[in-house]
Amino acid sequence: EKQKLIEEVHALVTVRDAKHTNFVEFRNFKIVYRRYAGLYFCICVDVNDNNLAYLEAIHNFVEVLNEFFHNVCELDLVFNFYKVYSVVDEMFLAGEIRETSQIKVLKQLTTLTSLE
Amino acid sequence: MSNPIRLRDLIRQIRSAKTAAEERAVVQKECAYIRDAFRDEDNTWRCRNVAKLLYVSLLGYPAHFGQLECLKLIASARFTDKRIGYLGAMLLLDERQDIHVLITNSLKNDLNHSNQYIAGLALCALGSICSPEMSRDLGGEVEKLMKSSNPFLKKKAVLCAVRIIRKVPEQFDVFQNSIRSLLSEKNHGVLLTAIALIIEMCQQNSQALQIFRKLVPNLVRILKNLIMSGYSPEHDVSGISDPFLQVQLLRLMRILGRNDLEASETMNDILAQVSTNTENSKNVGNAILYETVLTIMDIKSESGLRVLAVNILGRFLLNNDKNIRYVALNTLLRVVHADHSAVQRHRATIVECLKDADVSIKRRAMELCFALINSNNIRTMINEMITFLATCEPEFRADCTSNMFLAMERFSPSKRWHVDQMIRVLTTAGNSVRDDIVSSLISIISSTSELHGYTAQQLYKIIRNDITQQPLVQVASWTLGEFGDLFVSGQYQHPDDNEHVQASEDEIVGVLEKILNWSICTVVTREYAINALMKLSTRFPSCSDRIQSVMTVYACNMNLELQTRAVEYTSLFTKHNPIRPSIVERMPVLVSNAASNTANEETSYEPEESPSFNGQNHSVQSTNPSEHVDDLFKMLDETPQTNGRTDSNTHSNILDLLNSGSPQVSSSSNPLEDILFGDDLSKNESMNGSNSTIPSMKVIDKNGLLIVFQFEKQDSILVIHLHATNSTSIPLKNFTFKAAVPKTFNLELLPPNSTTIPANNSGDVRQIIKISNPNKDKLRMRIKLSYSSNDFQVNDEAELNTFPEQCYT
């Protein structure tokens, strides 16, 4: 079922080119997405939420990823998917934004990796 | 067993597979290996195996056999194991699995662990996959962690609390007390999460709203500090300090300030400050401004602030970034009903947005345009909308056309312009208009008698060249059928442009025949054409032979509807030739008010056209009930009241009725048919001199008081029985009724049976009025009534002109 969801979202988002807005309606929610090279980062939020703020959140997240992996590329994300998850956990939890300061997040992550 | 391959190698292997089949083979081999490893209970490589399993599940392959392994990993002492274990749990398990309850114990232990990172892991997992049972069990632990001094843990704990409350709203009490202390934290992250928690609480629980309203001054202070306190490199994004926190604060303020005057007042200043100080060159600033606008709109702010908000939205519209324009259009749509005039200023920009490439922007711009139409700008706006209609996507067209008609009904400056524009719309959008628009257009045309010839000419000009747009052709055939003779004789108000077209009777008949014969036209259109031809047979006597031969041809047509009509019309020519003129004479003004519904009972006869009649009965009742009344009783002075029917409710009702009532599509064109024959049969009835009952007439229906006249003729005296009922819950006392008639009548008013009308329709007051009409003039009456309701005196008077004809013939 998760796969079905992923396919649906994929179909919705990939057909949109640069001329379209970054927001798309999906079931009862809306998807805010941003495209970075070959990757689409999508966040699914309520219809009432502030679109622009979540665009910023996506960008924040990508910046953290960049810092963490030192110029991240797609392969980094694939090979280290569990680390990506830990970054997600640092920044978002239970559907809300948790920490916005990149410095703090990065510090946290370095400590975590040293534990392993 | 040899060492399992490393995660990295597995990934490399999978990615290097060139076809899907190859990839599947690799994955299956690895999964089989992993399954064996799990069975062997080997601890050393378990975490690596689980990691590989997780990767494979990310790709979409089933991995449920790994769930139990995750549990074992969580229970182990090593940090890496735990990490992978929790990750696996979060990915593979959700509330629907039963296994996840087993994690509860491990979670509990880990939450109390001294190592903050482990506790953090546990909190993460809890936050992601919490279920109601788990929340109840672990709520207390989470709350304890919220109070801990470690901000890292605090943040996670608070967000866990958010999820817990979402799942189990009763847990609210547990967390309530700790909230206030959280707000005084300096740490932005904690603040952010605390506010999220408060928002969640307020959304669930209105009690919380009361409690947290007291915190509004605190929030205002925090926001002020944020804006003022200069540069803080940690949380800053492009020069604006912690926009996420600002946005959350604004959101919370919005929720707290809704419907609460006091809270809103405290917020006014800070909102104004934020709006003016935030720079809007980057997306971040815009995000904050947008949130501010939303907040201003929702709380009870003062009007200056609202104007400021609308101006901000207007600035957004001019921005090049389409995201921002989209967002602005969306919000303006919500605002326009409240603050109409402020939005009008930006009308030009909105019209520009109609031409944008993005579909969603176009749609919103279209809806906004319709909301903004008023009597001043209707001409320009309709022009714009017609250009838009020509280029827009098909799915918009139906909406666009219906909205345009609505707008034109309400605001059109002159009838002629109205008719012109409607014709333009039909020519452009043609086949995507809704069904009821044809009938409404027809009723409008028929109600403006001075335009009859003019309309006929315009329509003829269009359809002689192009008959692809079905609704247009339908309207045109009807008009030509009714008013073709006016057109041909040239006695009408000529249009100002030079394209004056004159047609002869033959040409008109030729066009109608072309429509009839062309198989691309729908059956409905052809029915309209055949009716029109019939009408023209009397109006254009020279063509009547030609028309008769057409009818005979169609009497053998494959389509049942057409054949029926053709056969009937042929019989009109042959057997019933004498009554043909009276049947097809000009229709009286089509009216659309739903007044005399009782008239419909009169028309329940026609066995010959019963298949189409049932559908017709329904639609007639809602669209043209008084058509029947008109034709049966020749009442001509009701004013056309087209306003009541043009709200979208009626449209959808009519659509439903038309859809449900007609497996035959022909219901919409039946009014013509049925009225022709209705007229015929009623004439037969009255010629037989049968004492057909005169329909009752509703005189007044106001404030719960309903007065109905029922008529009875005794020799030459008309006896009116007056029934007065009261549907309010208060009885109406001292009810008196007075009536006056013109001098040529004699009126006798007998005393009523009581002067108190009981409440809730439980009884009525009757009174008898006798009128004698020696000169057989049209009956008119002026009535005056007075009553008292709860000691409140009400006087009312009315003039009645619309008595059924049989009252005085």
Side-chain angles (χ1 to χ4, degrees):
Chain A
E1 196 208 87
K2 239 197 232 177
Q3 272 306 103
K4 212 169 46 143
L5 251 181
I6 296 178
E7 279 163 18
E8 255 180 77
V9 174
H10 185 270
L12 256 186
V13 168
T14 40
V15 287
R16 292 169 72 89
D17 57 5
K19 279 192 298 187
H20 290 114
T21 57
N22 286 26
F23 321 118
V24 148
E25 276 151 48
F26 176 68
R27 301 196 187 167
N28 295 342
F29 308 100
K30 78 183 151 195
I31 295 186
V32 181
Y33 70 94
R34 207 154 183 179
R35 182 177 171 176
Y36 290 88
L39 293 175
Y40 287 90
F41 288 84
C42 310
I43 295 188
C44 182
V45 292
D46 286 332
V47 262
N48 300 325
D49 287 344
N50 186 342
N51 297 346
L52 305 172
Y54 282 106
L55 266 184
E56 283 307 308
I58 295 180
H59 192 68
N60 208 11
F61 177 64
V62 174
E63 277 183 13
V64 167
L65 279 180
N66 201 18
E67 279 300 310
F68 185 58
F69 288 107
H70 304 295
N71 293 329
V72 69
C73 64
E74 189 177 337
L75 281 181
D76 281 331
L77 297 180
V78 172
F79 277 96
N80 298 311
F81 66 94
Y82 51 94
K83 291 193 192 154
V84 174
Y85 270 107
S86 59
V87 177
V88 172
D89 283 335
E90 280 304 312
M91 295 190 68
F92 304 97
L93 185 59
E96 304 280 339
I97 302 181
R98 184 161 86 81
E99 178 59 67
T100 55
S101 154
Q102 296 180 10
I103 303 179
K104 284 208 187 120
V105 173
L106 288 167
K107 210 165 47 152
Q108 210 44 32
L109 288 170
T110 32
T111 342
L112 274 174
T113 27
S114 65
L115 279 179
E116 293 194 4
Chain B
M1 193 165 277
S2 60
N3 284 346
I5 59 177
R6 306 177 65 188
L7 174 63
R8 217 169 299 158
D9 297 329
L10 174 65
I11 298 181
R12 235 179 254 139
Q13 265 183 1
I14 294 182
R15 282 172 71 87
S16 63
K18 293 200 186 45
T19 65
E22 226 181 288
E23 183 183 310
R24 252 176 307 181
V26 170
V27 167
Q28 272 176 3
K29 196 168 99 178
E30 193 58 36
C31 281
Y33 173 77
I34 293 177
R35 264 193 295 254
D36 287 337
F38 285 163
R39 251 202 320 251
D40 291 343
E41 299 274 332
D42 184 4
N43 284 347
T44 38
W45 301 116
R46 193 181 284 147
C47 87
R48 190 184 283 177
N49 286 335
V50 172
K52 284 187 281 190
L53 194 60
L54 287 177
Y55 180 74
V56 158
S57 82
L58 270 185
L59 290 177
Y61 298 97
H64 31 261
F65 54 88
Q67 287 165 0
L68 220 37
E69 297 303 314
C70 296
L71 292 183
K72 291 191 203 148
L73 275 179
I74 296 177
S76 104
R78 275 169 48 191
F79 183 74
T80 341
D81 282 353
K82 272 197 203 270
R83 238 212 3 200
I84 301 273
Y86 274 121
L87 184 61
M90 284 194 276
L91 284 180
L92 296 175
L93 296 177
D94 56 31
E95 287 177 27
R96 280 171 289 171
Q97 317 275 0
D98 298 325
I99 303 186
H100 79 296
V101 183
L102 296 174
I103 309 184
T104 318
N105 210 16
S106 320
L107 273 176
K108 197 173 194 155
N109 291 335
D110 285 333
L111 279 176
N112 292 328
H113 209 277
S114 47
N115 186 337
Q116 57 160 335
Y117 298 106
I118 294 189
L121 274 181
L123 281 171
C124 276
L126 192 59
S128 309
I129 56 169
C130 191
S131 76
E133 295 84 30
M134 280 164 75
S135 3
R136 276 191 213 108
D137 291 336
L138 299 171
E141 311 285 330
V142 174
E143 207 228 335
K144 238 181 356 182
L145 282 171
M146 267 194 341
K147 298 202 190 102
S148 87
S149 52
N150 187 340
F152 171 68
L153 282 179
K154 250 200 242 201
K155 287 178 293 186
K156 294 204 189 204
V158 170
L159 284 178
C160 264
V162 170
R163 178 160 176 128
I164 290 179
I165 291 189
R166 250 186 227 144
K167 292 283 167 188
V168 184
E170 294 85 39
Q171 292 276 347
F172 167 68
D173 317 310
V174 177
F175 299 112
Q176 187 182 357
N177 304 326
S178 353
I179 296 286
R180 215 163 306 205
S181 54
L182 284 174
L183 271 185
S184 46
E185 282 277 332
K186 290 278 192 317
N187 185 325
H188 282 210
V190 178
L191 271 179
L192 196 59
T193 50
I195 294 180
L197 182 56
I198 300 181
I199 291 181
E200 190 61 35
M201 282 189 187
C202 292
Q203 275 172 345
Q204 294 223 349
N205 190 333
S206 52
Q207 248 186 333
L209 272 178
Q210 311 293 353
I211 303 178
F212 291 120
R213 280 224 180 93
K214 302 193 197 96
L215 292 175
V216 170
N218 290 359
L219 296 173
V220 172
R221 201 169 25 92
I222 298 176
L223 191 51
K224 207 179 265 185
N225 284 341
L226 260 187
I227 310 179
M228 304 295 215
S229 67
Y231 193 64
S232 144
E234 265 192 8
H235 291 277
D236 139 304
V237 178
S238 316
I240 302 189
S241 45
D242 209 347
F244 299 104
L245 186 56
Q246 288 191 35
V247 164
Q248 285 283 54
L249 279 169
L250 286 168
R251 216 167 123 206
L252 181 56
M253 287 205 262
R254 180 158 86 235
I255 298 182
L256 290 178
R258 203 176 278 163
N259 291 334
D260 186 76
L261 203 47
E262 200 188 303
S264 318
E265 274 169 35
T266 21
M267 294 179 206
N268 276 337
D269 284 335
I270 192 73
L271 286 173
Q273 204 175 8
V274 171
S275 329
T276 39
N277 284 351
T278 322
E279 57 168 72
N280 60 348
S281 50
K282 296 255 181 75
N283 189 31
V284 200
N286 284 330
I288 299 185
L289 283 174
Y290 176 53
E291 194 72 30
T292 325
V293 167
L294 283 177
T295 309
I296 294 180
M297 287 303 152
D298 262 345
I299 67 176
K300 292 197 182 308
S301 53
E302 51 181 23
S303 59
L305 213 48
R306 278 181 192 269
V307 173
L308 184 59
V310 176
N311 285 343
I312 294 179
L313 286 177
R315 268 210 313 263
F316 275 6
L317 277 179
L318 296 168
N319 196 309
N320 284 334
D321 186 355
K322 50 187 161 22
N323 288 333
I324 299 187
R325 270 188 295 178
Y326 173 91
V327 150
L329 281 175
N330 229 356
T331 330
L332 277 175
L333 207 53
R334 278 155 55 176
V335 166
V336 78
H337 300 289
D339 248 330
H340 205 93
S341 48
V343 185
Q344 283 283 356
R345 243 174 280 146
H346 304 287
R347 189 166 55 82
T349 342
I350 297 177
V351 170
E352 279 306 306
C353 289
L354 275 177
K355 310 195 179 86
D356 196 288
D358 185 316
V359 161
S360 39
I361 290 190
K362 268 205 266 202
R363 172 171 274 276
R364 283 176 175 67
M366 180 182 88
E367 286 170 20
L368 207 54
C369 284
F370 282 124
L372 286 179
I373 292 186
N374 63 20
S375 38
N376 294 334
N377 55 24
I378 177 125
R379 283 186 201 256
T380 34
M381 291 296 278
I382 294 286
N383 277 338
E384 289 285 336
M385 299 313 292
I386 293 189
T387 3
F388 173 64
L389 192 60
T391 54
C392 76
E393 279 81 357
E395 56 260 16
F396 289 177
R397 287 211 177 145
D399 283 334
C400 198
T401 46
S402 341
N403 280 332
M404 274 206 262
F405 281 125
L406 276 173
M408 286 198 268
E409 300 262 355
R410 277 157 58 190
F411 297 120
S412 63
S414 78
K415 289 276 185 185
R416 179 161 144 169
W417 181 87
H418 189 173
V419 171
D420 267 338
Q421 299 306 318
M422 292 244 224
I423 296 179
R424 265 175 86 193
V425 170
L426 281 181
T427 340
T428 331
N431 296 318
S432 42
V433 299
R434 287 208 242 266
D435 306 331
D436 48 327
I437 289 191
V438 173
S439 31
S440 61
L441 182 54
I442 288 182
S443 73
I444 291 177
I445 293 180
S446 75
S447 63
T448 52
S449 46
E450 63 271 13
L451 286 182
H452 288 161
Y454 168 76
T455 328
Q457 190 228 33
Q458 296 291 79
L459 289 169
Y460 174 73
K461 253 194 312 196
I462 300 178
I463 67 168
R464 69 184 166 157
N465 296 327
D466 158 40
I467 52 177
T468 48
Q469 309 280 8
Q470 299 299 320
L472 186 63
V473 175
Q474 287 166 13
V475 174
S477 336
W478 186 87
T479 322
L480 285 175
E482 282 288 312
F483 309 121
D485 51 341
L486 274 183
F487 170 38
V488 167
S489 60
Q491 301 162 355
Y492 56 90
Q493 181 189 13
H494 292 214
D496 302 326
D497 54 3
N498 304 331
E499 279 193 49
H500 181 55
V501 168
Q502 189 63 14
S504 73
E505 304 175 348
D506 278 320
E507 283 170 358
I508 297 188
V509 174
V511 166
L512 284 174
E513 267 184 41
K514 195 170 74 166
I515 300 175
L516 195 51
N517 294 333
W518 206 30
S519 46
I520 300 188
C521 289
T522 63
V523 179
V524 179
T525 318
R526 291 164 87 185
E527 285 157 13
Y528 269 93
I530 213 174
N531 285 345
L533 275 177
M534 193 57 214
K535 292 185 210 172
L536 289 179
S537 70
T538 35
R539 309 208 214 286
F540 296 164
S542 56
C543 304
S544 102
D545 289 331
R546 184 173 166 190
I547 295 181
Q548 186 172 3
S549 55
V550 169
M551 295 297 166
T552 338
V553 164
Y554 267 84
C556 319
N557 188 289
M558 290 294 285
N559 183 299
L560 186 60
E561 261 305 313
L562 290 177
Q563 191 186 54
T564 326
R565 285 168 199 248
V567 165
E568 285 156 5
Y569 289 147
T570 327
S571 72
L572 262 189
F573 271 110
T574 49
K575 286 189 281 179
H576 297 114
N577 210 2
I579 57 173
R580 183 160 53 93
S582 55
I583 289 192
V584 294
E585 71 182 10
R586 226 190 275 300
M587 280 173 68
V589 174
L590 295 175
V591 189
S592 61
N593 57 17
S596 344
N597 270 330
T598 50
N600 282 322
E601 274 106 284
E602 303 292 296
T603 62
S604 47
Y605 27 46
E606 277 96 35
E608 358 175 16
E609 47 221 49
S610 42
S612 44
F613 190 74
N614 283 332
Q616 177 47 30
N617 220 353
H618 298 244
S619 55
V620 164
Q621 278 202 327
S622 54
T623 56
N624 302 320
S626 29
E627 278 183 39
H628 284 246
V629 182
D630 281 347
D631 277 314
L632 294 172
F633 306 112
K634 293 213 172 39
M635 284 194 319
L636 287 180
D637 39 334
E638 290 196 354
T639 49
Q641 290 170 24
T642 49
N643 295 334
R645 56 201 307 243
T646 56
D647 45 22
S648 49
N649 280 339
T650 348
H651 277 166
S652 55
N653 285 340
I654 293 173
L655 261 184
D656 286 343
L657 289 170
L658 281 177
N659 284 337
S660 61
S662 57
Q664 311 94 15
V665 182
S666 50
S667 51
S668 58
S669 56
N670 273 341
L672 310 171
E673 183 78 295
D674 297 328
I675 287 166
L676 299 182
F677 285 94
D679 207 7
D680 186 19
L681 287 171
S682 78
K683 279 201 187 315
N684 280 337
E685 269 197 23
S686 49
M687 284 194 289
N688 293 337
S690 59
N691 199 1
S692 50
T693 51
I694 311 172
S696 56
M697 183 172 117
K698 207 185 329 184
V699 170
I700 289 214
D701 186 6
K702 206 157 117 175
N703 296 335
L705 173 66
L706 174 68
I707 298 187
V708 177
F709 278 178
Q710 270 171 351
F711 304 100
E712 202 188 358
K713 268 205 133 197
Q714 291 170 357
D715 303 323
S716 59
I717 298 187
L718 174 71
V719 180
I720 303 181
H721 296 272
L722 178 153
H723 290 262
T725 45
N726 163 22
S727 62
T728 63
S729 53
I730 314 167
L732 303 176
K733 303 198 173 77
N734 301 327
F735 175 80
T736 49
F737 175 91
K738 302 188 194 124
V741 289
K743 289 206 184 68
T744 50
F745 299 87
N746 282 333
L747 173 80
E748 192 184 20
L749 191 62
L750 302 178
N753 63 344
S754 96
T755 54
T756 305
I757 315 181
N760 295 324
N761 291 334
S762 52
D764 58 0
V765 164
R766 291 165 200 268
Q767 197 162 3
I768 296 186
I769 309 168
K770 291 195 184 164
I771 298 185
S772 75
N773 181 3
N775 298 339
K776 299 226 180 307
D777 284 344
K778 190 163 178 318
L779 176 61
R780 291 193 329 244
M781 190 190 284
R782 184 177 223 118
I783 63 169
K784 207 170 185 177
L785 28 110
S786 68
Y787 55 90
S788 62
S789 153
N790 250 356
D791 299 327
F792 183 67
Q793 184 73 11
V794 178
N795 295 328
D796 200 3
E797 57 180 56
E799 173 138 7
L800 308 174
N801 288 328
T802 54
F803 284 91
E805 187 187 334
Q806 280 151 307
C807 300
Y808 46 88
T809 42

